Amino acid sequence: MSDRIRALGEPELDEYVEIMAGAYPGLKIVSEADRQRMRDRLAATFDDPAAEMYGLIENGQLLAGMILY
């Protein structure tokens, strides 16, 4: 088992959005259009020098994530 916490990038955004959709049903990330809007919103985080996105990766799968500001 290889667990590790590391900074995330664009390749992990789809998995991150899926985690958010399950964890926060109030965000109503239901349709593919909803997922794309959230993905675009999160992608802007990479341009913010005050924010960093991290995730827990286990056996190549993103299990959890967070954004630190």
Side-chain angles (χ1 to χ4, degrees):
M1 181 186 325
S2 64
D3 299 345
R4 67 183 242 190
I5 296 173
R6 66 169 173 78
L8 299 179
E10 291 269 346
E12 291 90 12
L13 274 183
D14 289 331
E15 288 179 280
Y16 194 95
V17 169
E18 286 304 312
I19 290 170
M20 286 185 70
Y24 303 105
L27 292 177
K28 297 183 181 0
I29 304 171
V30 179
S31 69
E32 187 56 40
D34 297 335
R35 284 174 174 74
Q36 186 59 49
R37 275 192 296 278
M38 182 56 70
R39 187 183 193 290
D40 294 343
R41 183 174 161 210
L42 290 171
T45 303
F46 299 122
D47 297 327
D48 184 348
E52 187 74 37
M53 190 179 301
Y54 289 90
L56 170 65
I57 312 290
E58 181 179 297
N59 297 323
Q61 182 179 2
L62 180 65
L63 299 180
M66 66 180 174
I67 301 173
L68 299 177
Y69 294 92

PDB file of all heavy atoms in Angstrom, residues 10 18 69:
ATOM      1  N   GLU A  10      -4.004  19.485 -12.382  1.00  0.00           N
ATOM      2  CA  GLU A  10      -5.130  19.328 -13.310  1.00  0.00           C
ATOM      3  C   GLU A  10      -5.562  17.870 -13.511  1.00  0.00           C
ATOM      4  O   GLU A  10      -6.755  17.603 -13.579  1.00  0.00           O
ATOM      5  CB  GLU A  10      -4.786  19.944 -14.666  1.00  0.00           C
ATOM      6  CG  GLU A  10      -4.681  21.444 -14.652  1.00  0.00           C
ATOM      7  CD  GLU A  10      -5.985  22.148 -14.964  1.00  0.00           C
ATOM      8  OE1 GLU A  10      -6.933  21.510 -15.453  1.00  0.00           O
ATOM      9  OE2 GLU A  10      -6.038  23.356 -14.711  1.00  0.00           O
ATOM     10  N   GLU A  18     -15.596  14.566  -8.123  1.00  0.00           N
ATOM     11  CA  GLU A  18     -16.438  13.430  -7.730  1.00  0.00           C
ATOM     12  C   GLU A  18     -16.502  13.299  -6.209  1.00  0.00           C
ATOM     13  O   GLU A  18     -17.564  13.014  -5.649  1.00  0.00           O
ATOM     14  CB  GLU A  18     -15.927  12.125  -8.352  1.00  0.00           C
ATOM     15  CG  GLU A  18     -16.232  12.016  -9.826  1.00  0.00           C
ATOM     16  CD  GLU A  18     -17.712  12.168 -10.146  1.00  0.00           C
ATOM     17  OE1 GLU A  18     -18.552  11.518  -9.495  1.00  0.00           O
ATOM     18  OE2 GLU A  18     -18.031  12.957 -11.040  1.00  0.00           O
ATOM     19  N   TYR A  69      -5.583  27.805   2.055  1.00  0.00           N
ATOM     20  CA  TYR A  69      -5.437  29.205   1.648  1.00  0.00           C
ATOM     21  C   TYR A  69      -4.496  29.910   2.598  1.00  0.00           C
ATOM     22  O   TYR A  69      -4.460  29.655   3.756  1.00  0.00           O
ATOM     23  CB  TYR A  69      -6.789  29.921   1.666  1.00  0.00           C
ATOM     24  CG  TYR A  69      -7.744  29.390   0.638  1.00  0.00           C
ATOM     25  CD1 TYR A  69      -8.635  28.384   0.944  1.00  0.00           C
ATOM     26  CD2 TYR A  69      -7.733  29.898  -0.650  1.00  0.00           C
ATOM     27  CE1 TYR A  69      -9.520  27.902  -0.010  1.00  0.00           C
ATOM     28  CE2 TYR A  69      -8.623  29.413  -1.612  1.00  0.00           C
ATOM     29  CZ  TYR A  69      -9.507  28.416  -1.275  1.00  0.00           C
ATOM     30  OH  TYR A  69     -10.371  27.940  -2.223  1.00  0.00           O
TER      31      TYR A  69
END
